Amino acid sequence: MPAASAPDRWPYAPGDAAARIRALGDADTPLGPPATWSAALRTTIDLVLPSQAEIVVFWGPQFVAFYNDTYAPTIGAKHPSAMGRPAQEHWSELWDDLHPLLERVLVLGETVSAKDRPFQINRHGHMEEVFFDISYSPIREHDGSVGGVLCIVSETTPRVNATRQLAAGEEHLRELHEQWRLAQAAGGVGVFVLDIARNTLTASPGFCRVFGLPEQELHAPEDVQRLRTDSADGDPVSTHESRTRGTAPLDVEYPIRRADDGALRWIWRRAEIVRDAHGQPLLMRGVVQDVTERHEARLALAQLNASLEQRVQERTRELNRIWSLSADLMISIGFDGRIVSVNPAWTSVLGWPGEAVIGTDVLALLHPEDVEPSRQALAQLGGGQRLLRYENRLRHQDGSYRSFSWNAVPDTAGQSHAVGRDVTALRESGQRLRHSQKME
């Protein structure tokens, strides 16, 4: 199957969101034609569109929205009409909540973040409460001013609802067992009475089934104690001594291996101490329940929370990796030849710290033979032309020169953005081959 052809105009990313942006007419967005948009906005859109994180950009004082395909499902029926439009038009039902957050970033330059942040939104024809982990940060223009807001989010509604349901379920169980704490129950619940002085345990059939013990009325407390799998961690349940003193824990949860089949189960026990007229403990009575499924659900939820937090952190770092980890030179340069910004590769490849070259004339770093051709190339970029595989030589900090092949594109804000690959070894190899052929 032949590969799909790349788009012939910006943005060049694949996908529905990129296509929607390309389809915007001059009157479809208050920002006007895309060719006149800020270079910072266009660069941010180029980074956002291919990302697998849920990202939306709100640009300018009207907070004009641009987002990627991963974010689109989080706004439901608002897509695609929200693309390129002021946020208040399509987020009107939560504007009183959202607008102050965006203003803090755009006006004050702050970064706003929160976990499980609630919002009331209409995205499927009805209002619903949703939750997001959010990180809102400023997008700065070349002069340092804030042009827009970069919003990296991760919807946590399922996790929050699951947590709420679990908490509600636990509360319901606590209330139910408080009311029936001495009642015989079926389906994983049993009751018991422990005679402290005689050290004998009277157990219901349900109690015996929970622990996998023979269904008989009397058991020794040690029959239960030896089933525990956490005995090396101390004794959170009870001992004869703690029961005699009346200090045995009354509400505990612990693991056992059931006596009949060896299955690993988690048991919850709630009890009370019955005392005589002098306050001396006589009986310990209570209820037990097999809570294995509830324990595993809590464990799974904790693992899910840890996984989601890690994903948000990784997605946030993703946008910075392209610029900071690229082995190729990356540069933003004015049409007058002044360097606006460079990536860290300038230091690792050419030895120049960024602060040493920013603000300088790029022509001053070129090989003398390449100055005039490069001046003409800058003029072509200023005229709106793109450069593909243009080569010149840059001076290393040690005085040597290295050859680079450049791809460069101009923007509408008087700057060009270029990526240069080091082809020094390739050119030197070609020169040695030509020299050897001459010698022959």
Side-chain angles (χ1 to χ4, degrees), residues 34 38 77 85 89 155 157 180 187 195 221 227 243 278 307 320 323 325 332 353 380 422 434:
S38 161
R85 299 301 306 166
E89 292 182 6
E155 183 169 1
T157 305
W180 295 347
D195 188 311
L227 300 179
R243 293 190 291 269
H278 303 288
S307 174
N320 297 324
W323 180 264
L325 298 182
S332 294
Q380 292 177 349
D422 190 340
R434 288 191 295 272

Side-chain angles (χ1 to χ4, degrees), residues 367 369 391 393 401-403 423-439:
H367 190 283
E369 295 177 359
E391 292 192 19
R393 290 163 289 180
Y401 286 91
R402 303 191 68 85
S403 298
V423 294
T424 305
L426 180 63
R427 296 296 167 259
E428 290 177 349
S429 175
Q431 290 175 0
R432 287 194 296 269
L433 178 61
R434 288 191 295 272
H435 180 70
S436 65
Q437 290 173 343
K438 290 180 180 178
M439 294 296 293

Side-chain angles (χ1 to χ4, degrees), residues 264-310:
L264 179 62
R265 309 298 294 177
W266 278 85
I267 307 301
W268 171 73
R269 188 206 69 200
R270 184 175 182 123
E272 66 178 6
I273 300 292
V274 179
R275 302 174 185 268
D276 64 17
H278 303 288
Q280 294 299 312
L282 295 177
L283 302 173
M284 182 177 183
R285 63 188 181 188
V287 60
V288 296
Q289 181 185 17
D290 186 324
V291 292
T292 305
E293 287 73 21
R294 188 176 73 190
H295 178 83
E296 292 175 347
R298 283 202 301 263
L299 181 61
L301 183 61
Q303 293 172 341
L304 176 62
N305 287 339
S307 174
L308 289 176
E309 183 174 355
Q310 180 181 0

Side-chain angles (χ1 to χ4, degrees), residues 154-169:
S154 179
E155 183 169 1
T156 61
T157 305
R159 184 182 74 194
V160 172
N161 288 340
T163 302
R164 286 180 168 181
Q165 291 169 5
L166 180 61

Side-chain angles (χ1 to χ4, degrees), residues 24-30 32 85:
L24 290 173
D26 295 355
D28 293 335
T29 173
R85 299 301 306 166

